[in-house]
């Protein structure tokens, strides 16, 4: 009975304005089919290529992945693309660096000279003139958060603002942080700083927000020489898995601190701290 | 003798116990009041911060995002030796140009000497830490002298910035010469 009434209603509707009716039906169909394609609430342009497969549209709080970051010291040219991208991504205040590039110069008396003018943000344009002896070895070392397996920063936070997610990211809760600075002192790699604007601790997050959208971290994405590599260790086809599994000279910074970083370096020299 | 000092009443003990119990209850209540709702959901942190962290704005996009609109540059840049160089490194982040799918501002374009500074940021031979396998370095103004051009020349007078060897290769082809170190 109700169906007949409905059909009569529709017929009335069509009679009233045929053009408007078709318009409504069509737009409804198109919008409906689009909703099935585009996940609701996603601000990011979905046409962006997915650089990390299987991340987009995953709404669970933690992923099943085990991420690793590899920096190839033998490939880095010290252009500072990574530093520029990082500053742009987070609007990092001047004088603070979530990632930076250090220049190491070792002379033939085994004396080590390290500098990092403006964190490598302006690139390296001038050679160092104060090296007394002939240079034996020189290279660039990009630095960022080591995402330790046993993070000392998490352990010392008195308010639970710094934490480790189940998929291995160490993050800082801006709303919870009171800016006491314990974590800044506890970090063996000095990657943390107190944001002068928000007065909270801040550090590299391996671009958690980008990774969860299936994008590579900003610095990895821009690196022209592919010196920065990022991937999933659970995926046996990934580049990082292959590098960490096959024989290479792979090392982490300050292994004696016992933090077990997930950031690995290829071709690192023993002089690097 | 000792018994004399022991009070027959327990009221003071009861008072202390009461204060402690009430204090404890108040403390637990106050703790619940001040702690965020999702604190301790997954561990000793605010669970809803995971959502906050995911909602950080993606400001740098990929080269592919730029190619969506800038088609002619795509053909040149993707085919050239500079294909791994990020558009956003020279021109600034995507989000300053497009926000919510809409054009908001013009991207800065490097001109004149800025271009030379930018080129030398990576290609300057003076910085010896650059590995040969990663990049071709040149010494200035030696490179200009070697190529027998005016030492005042800017890089982009011979090299197209989006594909530095495009014009050079074309010139070699025109002359029927083989390019030095050409892998092809």
């Amino acid at each position: 009975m109700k169906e007949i009434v409905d059909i009569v209603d529709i017929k009335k509707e069509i009679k009233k304005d045929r053009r408007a009716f078709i318009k409504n039906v069509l737009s409804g169909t198109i919008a409906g089919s689009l909703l099935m394609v585009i996940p609701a609430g996603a601000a990011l342009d979905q046409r962006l290529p997915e650089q990390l497969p299987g991340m987009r549209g995953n709404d669970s709080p933690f992923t099943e992945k085990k991420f690793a970051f590899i920096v190839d010291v033998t490939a880095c040219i010290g252009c500072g693309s990574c530093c520029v991208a990082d500053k742009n991504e987070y609007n990092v205040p001047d004088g603070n660096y979530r990632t930076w590039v250090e220049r190491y110069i070792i002379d033939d008396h085994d004396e080590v000279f390290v500098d990092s003018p403006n964190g490598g943000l302006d690139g390296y344009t001038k050679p160092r003139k104060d090296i007394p002896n002939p240079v034996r070895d020189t290279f660039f070392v990009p630095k960022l958060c080591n995402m330790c397996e046993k993070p000392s920063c998490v352990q010392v936070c008195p308010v639970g603002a710094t934490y480790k997610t189940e998929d291995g990211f160490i993050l800082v809760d801006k709303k919870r942080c009171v800016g006491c600075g314990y974590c800044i002192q506890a970090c063996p790699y000095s990657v943390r700083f107190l944001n002068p604007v928000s007065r909270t601790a801040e550090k590299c997050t391996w671009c958690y927000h980008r990774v969860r959208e299936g994008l590579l971290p900003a610095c990895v994405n821009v690196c022209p020489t592919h010196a920065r590599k990022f991937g999933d260790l659970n995926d046996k086809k990934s580049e990082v898995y292959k590098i960490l599994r096959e024989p290479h000279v792979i090392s982490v910074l300050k292994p004696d601190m016992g933090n077990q970083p997930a950031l690995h370096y290829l071709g690192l020299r023993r002089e690097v701290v | 003798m000792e018994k004399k000092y022991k009070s027959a009443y327990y009221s003071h003990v009861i008072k202390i116990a009461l204060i402690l119990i009430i204090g404890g209850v108040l403390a637990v209540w106050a703790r619940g009041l001040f702690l965020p709702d999702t604190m301790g959901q997954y561990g000793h942190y605010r669970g809803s911060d995971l959502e906050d962290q995911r909602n950080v704005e993606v400001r740098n996009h990929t080269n592919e995002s730029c190619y969506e609109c800038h088609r002619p540059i795509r053909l040149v840049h993707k085919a050239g030796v500079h294909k791994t160089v990020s558009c956003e490194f020279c021109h600034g982040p995507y989000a300053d140009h497009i926000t919510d799918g809409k054009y908001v501002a013009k991207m800065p374009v490097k001109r004149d000497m800025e271009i030379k500074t930018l080129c030398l940021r990576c290609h300057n031979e003076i910085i010896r830490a650059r590995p040969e396998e990663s990049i071709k370095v040149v010494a200035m103004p030696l490179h200009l002298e070697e190529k027998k051009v005016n030492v005042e020349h800017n890089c982009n007078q011979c090299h197209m910035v989006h594909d530095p060897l495009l014009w050079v290769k074309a010139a070699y082809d025109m002359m029927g010469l083989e390019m030095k170190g050409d892998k092809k």
Side-chain angles (χ1 to χ4, degrees):
Chain A
M1 190 63 198
K2 187 162 185 306
E3 272 176 23
I4 297 168
V5 173
D6 278 349
I7 289 167
V8 170
D9 276 346
I10 288 171
K11 276 188 175 162
K12 265 189 202 166
E13 198 78 34
I14 296 171
K15 258 185 192 162
K16 234 193 284 168
D17 187 355
R18 192 172 285 266
R19 188 182 290 263
F21 176 77
I22 293 171
K23 236 185 207 173
N24 282 340
V25 170
L26 264 181
S27 56
T29 322
I30 293 169
S33 55
L34 273 181
L35 273 180
M36 290 168 76
V37 183
I38 305 168
L44 194 73
D45 191 345
Q46 293 298 320
R47 288 172 305 177
L48 265 176
E50 205 177 21
Q51 293 168 318
L52 294 161
M55 294 300 288
R56 206 167 282 175
N58 182 351
D59 275 330
S60 59
F62 307 109
T63 57
E64 296 293 309
K65 300 190 188 288
K66 187 177 189 309
F67 288 109
F69 203 116
I70 299 177
V71 173
D72 189 352
V73 171
T74 59
C76 182
I77 56 167
C79 63
S81 296
C82 44
C83 310
V84 172
D86 190 69
K87 194 174 173 74
N88 285 337
E89 185 76 17
Y90 299 97
N91 289 318
V92 183
D94 288 340
N96 298 115
Y97 311 95
R98 290 169 77 120
T99 182
W100 67 97
V101 178
E102 290 171 359
R103 171 171 57 184
Y104 273 73
I105 299 172
I106 305 167
D107 71 6
D108 62 0
H109 282 53
D110 280 349
E111 237 181 294
V112 185
F113 300 85
V114 191
D115 68 340
S116 184
N118 197 15
L121 203 56
D122 309 323
Y124 287 83
T125 49
K126 288 187 189 81
R128 272 187 75 153
K129 295 251 162 56
D130 56 340
I131 316 293
N133 303 306
V135 173
R136 168 166 73 80
D137 193 9
T138 170
F139 51 90
F140 292 107
V141 183
K143 296 266 179 91
L144 63 155
C145 180
N146 281 251
M147 296 290 172
C148 310
E149 186 63 38
K150 294 176 180 168
S152 23
C153 52
V154 172
Q155 205 171 19
V156 297
C157 181
V159 292
T162 280
Y163 57 93
K164 182 167 177 259
T165 68
E166 282 168 26
D167 37 5
F169 288 91
I170 292 82
L171 303 170
V172 187
D173 183 347
K174 270 187 185 161
K175 289 183 188 155
R176 194 105 185 102
C177 179
V178 292
C180 69
Y182 284 3
C183 55
I184 297 170
Q185 294 189 45
C187 176
Y189 307 102
S190 307
V191 299
R192 286 171 170 258
F193 61 91
L194 203 63
N195 187 315
V197 182
S198 63
R199 307 295 300 160
T200 55
E202 201 177 310
K203 70 162 188 76
C204 159
T205 57
W206 283 11
C207 285
Y208 182 76
H209 64 296
R210 292 176 64 95
V211 172
R212 289 305 302 253
E213 289 290 350
L215 294 172
L216 285 170
C219 57
V220 179
N221 184 42
V222 301
C223 182
T225 60
H226 199 51
R228 289 174 180 244
K229 306 166 211 288
F230 181 81
D232 176 19
L233 286 183
N234 289 344
D235 174 12
K236 302 212 160 129
K237 286 188 193 113
S238 72
E239 191 189 5
V240 286
Y241 175 82
K242 282 176 188 157
I243 290 174
L244 290 184
R245 196 167 167 271
E246 283 164 12
H248 276 105
V249 182
I250 305 157
S251 32
V252 295
L253 296 174
K254 301 185 187 172
D256 298 342
M257 298 298 284
N259 285 50
Q260 300 174 13
L263 166 67
H264 300 266
Y265 283 89
L266 271 179
L268 198 70
R269 278 69 153 184
R270 68 187 162 81
E271 287 87 354
V272 179
V273 284
Chain B
M1 184 70 186
E2 277 192 7
K3 223 175 183 183
K4 200 168 122 192
Y5 294 103
K6 205 178 173 198
S7 167
Y9 304 103
Y10 289 99
S11 63
H12 61 294
V13 179
I14 292 166
K15 270 180 201 161
I16 291 171
L18 268 179
I19 288 170
L20 280 177
I21 288 166
I22 292 169
V25 169
L26 274 178
V28 168
W29 174 75
R31 186 174 180 269
L33 203 68
F34 289 117
L35 274 186
D37 291 340
T38 52
M39 192 78 193
Q41 191 181 0
Y42 307 115
H44 183 56
Y45 59 91
R46 196 168 58 90
S48 56
D49 186 53
L50 284 171
E51 197 56 40
D52 294 356
Q53 296 279 357
R54 287 184 70 168
N55 289 334
V56 173
E57 189 195 359
V58 174
R59 282 176 48 75
N60 282 292
H61 281 227
T62 60
N63 283 5
E64 291 300 326
S65 320
C66 307
Y67 298 151
E68 289 263 331
C69 300
H70 302 274
R71 305 298 282 188
I73 288 298
R74 173 175 174 264
L75 295 174
V76 175
H77 194 236
K78 271 187 106 164
V81 285
H82 264 184
K83 59 176 177 282
T84 56
V85 177
S86 166
C87 308
E88 290 160 309
F89 175 50
C90 304
H91 297 287
Y94 182 91
D96 284 357
H97 183 49
I98 309 281
T99 307
D100 296 331
K102 285 189 186 69
Y103 172 87
V104 283
K106 213 172 147 80
M107 285 298 228
V109 175
K110 299 274 194 275
R111 305 233 177 257
D112 308 324
M113 284 319 281
E114 287 175 335
I115 293 177
K116 196 169 184 174
T117 314
L118 201 59
C119 296
L120 286 181
R121 185 173 172 154
C122 297
H123 293 282
N124 201 343
E125 202 180 31
I126 313 177
I127 311 299
R128 291 180 49 199
R130 308 192 198 285
E132 264 174 50
E133 303 79 35
S134 288
I135 194 162
K136 176 165 170 25
V137 285
V138 292
M140 281 297 186
L142 190 71
H143 175 68
L144 294 170
E145 284 162 5
E146 266 179 9
K147 302 290 174 193
K148 298 189 179 64
V149 293
N150 190 340
V151 285
E152 298 295 309
H153 268 18
N154 205 345
C155 305
N156 67 331
Q157 282 175 278
C158 297
H159 300 284
M160 197 226 184
V161 286
H162 294 117
D163 176 8
L165 293 183
L166 185 71
W167 298 336
V168 180
K169 267 183 189 154
Y172 272 93
D173 280 351
M174 250 190 262
M175 303 299 290
L177 294 169
E178 191 91 342
M179 231 180 115
K180 204 167 46 170
D182 196 354
K183 277 170 198 155
K184 229 181 339 179

